[in-house]
Amino acid sequence: MKAIQIVQPGEIRPVETASPALRAGEALLKIKYAGFCGSDLNTYLGRNPMATLPVIPGHEVGAEIAEVAGDAPAHLQPGLPCTVNPYTACGHCPSCRNGRPNACRFNQTLGVQRDGAMREFLAVPWTKVIADADISPRDFALVEPLSVGFHAVARAEVTDSDTVMVIGCGMIGIGAIVRAALRGAKVIATDVDDDKLALARRLGAAFTINSTTENVHERLQAITGSCGPDVVIEAVGAPVTYRTAVDEVAFSGRVVCIGYAKTEIAFETKHFVQKELDIRGSRNAMPEDFRAAMEYLKHGSCPKETLISGIYAPHQVAEAMKRWTADPGKVFRILIRFE
């Protein structure tokens, strides 16, 4: 069968690989669409320390059930559109014991620590299959990245009395903006791209700040009555945005970190103590975040076509990655179509 493989930094191409055999406890999925995320781009650029090359990328899955093992539940029927929870959980580490398997110490995400979904067929435990007849395979490929942003909002415990600043309006940040707005919070979106900020406003942001043309501190002080936002969600992973999150969050506020910074960051640590901050990481997503993202896609006003920056055939994958590398700020999601 056809698959996509990142062979070495800067080299990605279609390859032929063996088709998976269905085993007990599994479902065989026909992959229709698989999305590239930021971790895949970093793997392609040789900047992802968690990935071992060569690797088949892909953990944002839009598929149909092709076949299920005899022990699968009756609701998983061939032909049903689905996605996959792409994470593993050992069941024994502190995170798993504490009911947070998304942060399993030994997690292996599809396409990162193990070969992923960017291939024609994928066999997975049927417990990892999330199916819904009312969502198309293409739209299912958006569920996982949206759910990561949704999970960050859950980690922040956002309510309708909060003012929430989201730094970074890429796909993950967009998910955080949507979820915070759905919870009734006043949302402030910050980015360097006016087009992304315009989309953030469409999706529920009450205020937008372009950090390259506006003074972020002054704007936040004006918006929040000199208090600062109750919650800051960092969805970029850069030293300047991490420091902004800590500097600008309100006293007794919550900072939630999604982005991975590539270098060490120096903080004014007095803010941690003086503000009595809650600083929380947010990793992957929980099943309830997947369900919430699916409900949004089914019943919300999600501009799906805008979030999909391009759809490519497997033989065009090198072209797709070169486009993304050349102008990463203009790309939300690139999908590979296996049809």
Side-chain angles (χ1 to χ4, degrees):
M1 67 174 179
K2 191 179 299 298
I4 302 297
Q5 188 179 72
I6 300 174
V7 180
Q8 59 185 357
E11 183 181 353
I12 186 170
R13 56 184 171 87
V15 297
E16 290 294 327
T17 187
S19 296
L22 182 66
R23 298 178 297 185
E26 290 186 335
L28 181 66
L29 308 183
K30 167 62 178 169
I31 303 299
K32 297 289 188 178
Y33 296 87
F36 279 113
C37 85
S39 64
D40 297 319
L41 179 62
N42 283 324
T43 300
Y44 170 73
L45 295 173
R47 301 173 184 169
N48 188 349
M50 294 184 292
T52 301
L53 300 181
V55 67
I56 296 172
H59 57 263
E60 301 173 356
V61 180
E64 288 182 356
I65 298 173
E67 187 179 355
V68 293
D71 57 348
H75 73 273
L76 295 180
Q77 293 294 319
L80 197 60
C82 65
T83 191
V84 172
N85 183 324
Y87 324 121
T88 63
C90 71
H92 306 291
C93 74
S95 294
C96 290
R97 293 200 308 268
N98 291 329
R100 291 159 65 178
N102 59 296
C104 175
R105 179 181 177 183
F106 304 106
N107 168 64
Q108 292 190 327
T109 298
L110 281 172
V112 183
Q113 294 94 345
R114 56 187 174 130
D115 280 339
M118 212 158 276
R119 50 179 125 178
E120 291 182 279
F121 289 92
L122 178 70
V124 296
W126 57 256
T127 55
K128 293 293 186 180
V129 177
I130 306 168
D132 194 311
D134 294 328
I135 301 178
S136 71
R138 187 203 70 170
D139 293 350
F140 254 129
L142 302 176
V143 168
E144 193 274 345
L146 284 174
S147 72
V148 174
F150 277 39
H151 182 66
V153 172
R155 289 283 294 142
E157 300 179 89
V158 169
T159 72
D160 57 4
S161 64
D162 286 321
T163 296
V164 178
M165 179 169 75
V166 178
I167 306 177
C169 298
M171 191 69 176
I172 306 304
I174 286 295
I177 289 165
V178 167
R179 188 57 168 159
L182 288 172
R183 289 193 175 198
K186 180 167 68 177
V187 181
I188 305 165
T190 305
D191 202 276
V192 299
D193 186 276
D194 285 331
D195 291 336
K196 287 186 174 180
L197 291 171
L199 178 60
R201 192 176 285 274
R202 282 176 59 192
L203 294 175
F207 300 93
T208 57
I209 302 173
N210 187 319
S211 59
T212 61
T213 60
E214 300 176 83
N215 185 301
V216 175
H217 176 72
E218 290 180 0
R219 286 276 282 127
L220 286 173
Q221 291 294 291
I223 292 168
T224 65
S226 300
C227 290
D230 304 290
V231 173
V232 178
I233 295 175
E234 200 288 331
V236 176
V240 65
T241 51
Y242 261 85
R243 284 194 291 267
T244 295
V246 171
D247 291 346
E248 299 297 343
V249 71
F251 274 65
S252 74
R254 289 100 74 198
V255 176
V256 175
C257 308
I258 311 175
Y260 281 90
K262 306 301 185 295
T263 60
E264 293 183 356
I265 304 173
F267 288 101
E268 190 68 65
T269 55
K270 68 178 183 181
H271 292 321
F272 299 175
V273 178
Q274 289 178 342
K275 293 184 178 183
E276 199 176 54
L277 298 181
D278 290 334
I279 299 177
R280 307 173 183 180
S282 182
R283 184 182 182 189
N284 300 329
M286 292 283 282
E288 55 265 32
D289 303 309
F290 278 79
R291 291 194 296 270
M294 290 164 62
E295 287 302 306
Y296 171 65
L297 285 172
K298 287 194 293 183
H299 304 299
S301 55
C302 180
K304 302 162 191 172
E305 283 69 26
T306 302
L307 295 179
I308 298 171
S309 303
I311 298 176
Y312 294 83
H315 72 273
Q316 298 172 308
V317 66
E319 172 192 341
M321 294 305 282
K322 286 178 181 177
R323 176 192 169 191
W324 196 3
T325 302
D327 197 0
K330 291 296 183 183
V331 172
F332 284 105
R333 270 304 171 270
I334 288 175
L335 303 183
I336 300 300
R337 180 176 56 222
F338 287 88
E339 291 186 299

